[in-house]
């Protein structure tokens, strides 16, 4: 355990990273997905690798073929902020766009859920299929409360 992980050029790739760096990488990948540089499948693969990364080198590999923005790594100089555009919602509340696939798919999924529940009710039977509607809403929208997406 006497490894020196100071900021020399070769050691920068072996520096351990934390949640801040992983979250920064995810936000940068969101920006690349929104810009159309990444497809949904490739975005998913790179996001999974970013979530499991433990060293700065693992995150650097994810952005090797992408222009800015990149993730901010320890000892990498000044951080580059990721631009997040404000979006005006129905009631005039301003929130931040996350740019994820689920943000665009969630309303469509919720629109289909009553029909899915109705079809299951008539084919399989049982009233409890209608509980899928609020369950899908909780799964798709429930985690946003702490992220400032309140309207």
């Amino acid at each position: 355990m006497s490894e020196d992980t100071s900021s020399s050029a070769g050691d920068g790739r072996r520096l351990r990273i934390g949640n801040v760096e992983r979250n920064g990488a995810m936000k940068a990948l969101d920006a690349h997905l929104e810009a159309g540089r990444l497809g949904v499948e490739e975005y998913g693969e790179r996001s999974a690798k970013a979530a499991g990364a433990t060293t700065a080198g693992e995150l650097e590999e994810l952005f090797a073929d992408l222009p800015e923005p990149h993730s901010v790594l320890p000892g990498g100089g000044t951080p580059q902020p990721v631009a997040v555009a404000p979006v005006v919602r129905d009631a005039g509340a301003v929130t931040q766009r996350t740019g994820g696939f689920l943000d665009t798919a969630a309303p469509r999924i919720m629109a289909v859920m009553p029909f899915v529940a109705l079809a299951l009710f008539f084919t399989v039977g049982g009233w409890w299929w209608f509980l899928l509607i609020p369950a899908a809403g909780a799964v798709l929208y429930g985690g946003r409360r702490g992220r400032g997406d309140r309207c």
Side-chain angles (χ1 to χ4, degrees), residues 18-143:
N19 291 335
V20 172
E21 292 84 9
R22 282 188 283 275
N23 290 340
M26 299 287 274
K27 288 180 182 177
L29 288 172
D30 287 345
H32 290 297
L33 175 68
E34 190 172 309
R37 292 185 196 104
L38 294 175
V40 175
E41 289 181 20
E42 187 175 8
Y43 167 80
E45 292 170 4
R46 291 186 190 214
S47 294
K49 288 180 183 177
T54 56
T55 63
E58 292 174 21
L59 288 183
E60 285 177 355
E61 292 173 8
L62 298 176
F63 296 96
D65 61 340
L66 293 170
E68 293 292 332
H70 289 181
S71 62
V72 179
L73 300 174
T78 60
Q80 297 287 333
V82 177
V84 179
V87 177
V88 178
R89 301 266 174 142
D90 298 334
V94 177
T95 59
Q96 291 184 347
R97 173 178 288 167
T98 58
F101 170 74
L102 200 53
D103 288 340
T104 57
R108 293 182 181 108
I109 293 170
M110 287 304 299
V112 172
M113 284 309 297
F115 299 107
V116 170
L118 196 60
L120 288 170
F121 172 73
F122 284 118
T123 57
V124 179
W127 61 269
W128 51 273
W129 288 111
F130 292 101
L131 294 175
L132 285 176
I133 300 167
V139 169
L140 295 173
Y141 295 108

